[in-house]
PDB file of all heavy atoms in Angstrom:
ATOM      1  N   ILE A 251      50.176  -8.779 -36.338  1.00  0.00           N
ATOM      2  CA  ILE A 251      51.298  -9.540 -36.951  1.00  0.00           C
ATOM      3  C   ILE A 251      52.508  -9.610 -36.027  1.00  0.00           C
ATOM      4  O   ILE A 251      53.235 -10.548 -35.989  1.00  0.00           O
ATOM      5  CB  ILE A 251      51.573  -8.974 -38.359  1.00  0.00           C
ATOM      6  CG1 ILE A 251      52.695  -9.723 -39.111  1.00  0.00           C
ATOM      7  CG2 ILE A 251      52.017  -7.510 -38.371  1.00  0.00           C
ATOM      8  CD1 ILE A 251      52.219 -11.030 -39.647  1.00  0.00           C
ATOM      9  N   CYS A 622      52.455 -20.827 -44.425  1.00  0.00           N
ATOM     10  CA  CYS A 622      52.661 -20.044 -43.215  1.00  0.00           C
ATOM     11  C   CYS A 622      51.402 -20.077 -42.583  1.00  0.00           C
ATOM     12  O   CYS A 622      50.223 -19.699 -43.029  1.00  0.00           O
ATOM     13  CB  CYS A 622      53.078 -18.617 -43.607  1.00  0.00           C
ATOM     14  SG  CYS A 622      53.486 -17.765 -41.977  1.00  0.00           S
ATOM     15  N   LEU A 624      51.391 -18.928 -39.186  1.00  0.00           N
ATOM     16  CA  LEU A 624      51.547 -18.134 -37.897  1.00  0.00           C
ATOM     17  C   LEU A 624      50.333 -17.497 -37.592  1.00  0.00           C
ATOM     18  O   LEU A 624      50.110 -17.363 -36.290  1.00  0.00           O
ATOM     19  CB  LEU A 624      52.644 -17.191 -38.177  1.00  0.00           C
ATOM     20  CG  LEU A 624      54.106 -17.668 -38.191  1.00  0.00           C
ATOM     21  CD1 LEU A 624      55.017 -16.535 -38.461  1.00  0.00           C
ATOM     22  CD2 LEU A 624      54.487 -18.383 -36.899  1.00  0.00           C
ATOM     23  N   CYS A 625      49.495 -17.117 -38.513  1.00  0.00           N
ATOM     24  CA  CYS A 625      48.320 -16.304 -38.058  1.00  0.00           C
ATOM     25  C   CYS A 625      47.171 -17.134 -37.481  1.00  0.00           C
ATOM     26  O   CYS A 625      46.127 -16.570 -37.196  1.00  0.00           O
ATOM     27  CB  CYS A 625      47.869 -15.387 -39.310  1.00  0.00           C
ATOM     28  SG  CYS A 625      48.958 -13.985 -39.538  1.00  0.00           S
ATOM     29  N   HIS A 632      43.185 -20.198 -41.116  1.00  0.00           N
ATOM     30  CA  HIS A 632      43.911 -19.493 -42.337  1.00  0.00           C
ATOM     31  C   HIS A 632      45.241 -20.127 -42.649  1.00  0.00           C
ATOM     32  O   HIS A 632      46.082 -20.564 -41.665  1.00  0.00           O
ATOM     33  CB  HIS A 632      44.131 -18.001 -41.909  1.00  0.00           C
ATOM     34  CG  HIS A 632      45.054 -17.341 -42.908  1.00  0.00           C
ATOM     35  ND1 HIS A 632      44.659 -17.009 -44.122  1.00  0.00           N
ATOM     36  CD2 HIS A 632      46.300 -16.961 -42.747  1.00  0.00           C
ATOM     37  CE1 HIS A 632      45.690 -16.499 -44.745  1.00  0.00           C
ATOM     38  NE2 HIS A 632      46.750 -16.425 -43.933  1.00  0.00           N
ATOM     39  N   CYS A 634      48.466 -19.363 -45.381  1.00  0.00           N
ATOM     40  CA  CYS A 634      49.022 -18.688 -46.471  1.00  0.00           C
ATOM     41  C   CYS A 634      49.899 -19.682 -47.246  1.00  0.00           C
ATOM     42  O   CYS A 634      50.581 -20.421 -46.660  1.00  0.00           O
ATOM     43  CB  CYS A 634      50.058 -17.634 -45.960  1.00  0.00           C
ATOM     44  SG  CYS A 634      49.334 -15.888 -45.788  1.00  0.00           S
ATOM     45  N   GLY A 642      53.640 -13.886 -48.713  1.00  0.00           N
ATOM     46  CA  GLY A 642      52.527 -13.954 -47.672  1.00  0.00           C
ATOM     47  C   GLY A 642      51.821 -12.728 -47.644  1.00  0.00           C
ATOM     48  O   GLY A 642      52.306 -11.567 -48.017  1.00  0.00           O
ATOM     49  N   LEU A 643      50.530 -12.728 -47.314  1.00  0.00           N
ATOM     50  CA  LEU A 643      49.648 -11.523 -47.461  1.00  0.00           C
ATOM     51  C   LEU A 643      49.909 -10.397 -46.465  1.00  0.00           C
ATOM     52  O   LEU A 643      49.658  -9.236 -46.704  1.00  0.00           O
ATOM     53  CB  LEU A 643      48.259 -11.862 -47.570  1.00  0.00           C
ATOM     54  CG  LEU A 643      47.611 -12.665 -46.338  1.00  0.00           C
ATOM     55  CD1 LEU A 643      47.316 -11.841 -45.236  1.00  0.00           C
ATOM     56  CD2 LEU A 643      46.427 -13.396 -46.850  1.00  0.00           C
ATOM     57  N   CYS A 644      50.816 -10.745 -45.520  1.00  0.00           N
ATOM     58  CA  CYS A 644      51.271  -9.624 -44.594  1.00  0.00           C
ATOM     59  C   CYS A 644      52.465  -8.840 -45.156  1.00  0.00           C
ATOM     60  O   CYS A 644      52.874  -7.889 -44.631  1.00  0.00           O
ATOM     61  CB  CYS A 644      51.679 -10.158 -43.259  1.00  0.00           C
ATOM     62  SG  CYS A 644      52.893 -11.373 -43.401  1.00  0.00           S
ATOM     63  N   TYR A 647      56.690 -12.414 -45.450  1.00  0.00           N
ATOM     64  CA  TYR A 647      57.303 -13.751 -45.760  1.00  0.00           C
ATOM     65  C   TYR A 647      57.373 -13.936 -47.300  1.00  0.00           C
ATOM     66  O   TYR A 647      56.349 -14.198 -47.880  1.00  0.00           O
ATOM     67  CB  TYR A 647      56.480 -14.889 -45.097  1.00  0.00           C
ATOM     68  CG  TYR A 647      56.839 -15.031 -43.638  1.00  0.00           C
ATOM     69  CD1 TYR A 647      56.250 -14.222 -42.724  1.00  0.00           C
ATOM     70  CD2 TYR A 647      57.833 -15.918 -43.207  1.00  0.00           C
ATOM     71  CE1 TYR A 647      56.581 -14.390 -41.298  1.00  0.00           C
ATOM     72  CE2 TYR A 647      58.122 -16.057 -41.906  1.00  0.00           C
ATOM     73  CZ  TYR A 647      57.439 -15.226 -41.009  1.00  0.00           C
ATOM     74  OH  TYR A 647      57.802 -15.264 -39.558  1.00  0.00           O
ATOM     75  N   CYS A 711      43.712 -13.646 -43.480  1.00  0.00           N
ATOM     76  CA  CYS A 711      43.673 -13.734 -42.077  1.00  0.00           C
ATOM     77  C   CYS A 711      43.177 -12.335 -41.450  1.00  0.00           C
ATOM     78  O   CYS A 711      42.310 -12.257 -40.562  1.00  0.00           O
ATOM     79  CB  CYS A 711      44.924 -14.275 -41.462  1.00  0.00           C
ATOM     80  SG  CYS A 711      46.238 -13.113 -42.019  1.00  0.00           S
ATOM     81  N   CYS A 713      45.835  -9.751 -41.608  1.00  0.00           N
ATOM     82  CA  CYS A 713      47.059  -8.930 -41.574  1.00  0.00           C
ATOM     83  C   CYS A 713      47.527  -8.356 -42.844  1.00  0.00           C
ATOM     84  O   CYS A 713      48.588  -7.808 -43.088  1.00  0.00           O
ATOM     85  CB  CYS A 713      48.243  -9.866 -41.037  1.00  0.00           C
ATOM     86  SG  CYS A 713      47.988 -10.542 -39.488  1.00  0.00           S
TER      87      CYS A 713
HETATM   88  S1  SF4 B 184      52.607 -15.023 -44.154  1.00  0.00           S
HETATM   89 FE1  SF4 B 184      50.440 -15.169 -43.849  1.00  0.00          FE
HETATM   90  S2  SF4 B 184      50.143 -16.599 -42.080  1.00  0.00           S
HETATM   91 FE2  SF4 B 184      52.334 -15.932 -42.085  1.00  0.00          FE
HETATM   92  S3  SF4 B 184      52.425 -14.173 -40.701  1.00  0.00           S
HETATM   93 FE3  SF4 B 184      52.103 -13.370 -42.828  1.00  0.00          FE
HETATM   94  S4  SF4 B 184      49.855 -13.186 -43.043  1.00  0.00           S
HETATM   95 FE4  SF4 B 184      50.317 -14.507 -41.171  1.00  0.00          FE
END
Side-chain angles (χ1 to χ4, degrees):
I251 182 79
C622 188
L624 283 181
C625 284
H632 170 69
C634 266
L643 50 85
C644 58
Y647 281 83
C711 54
C713 302

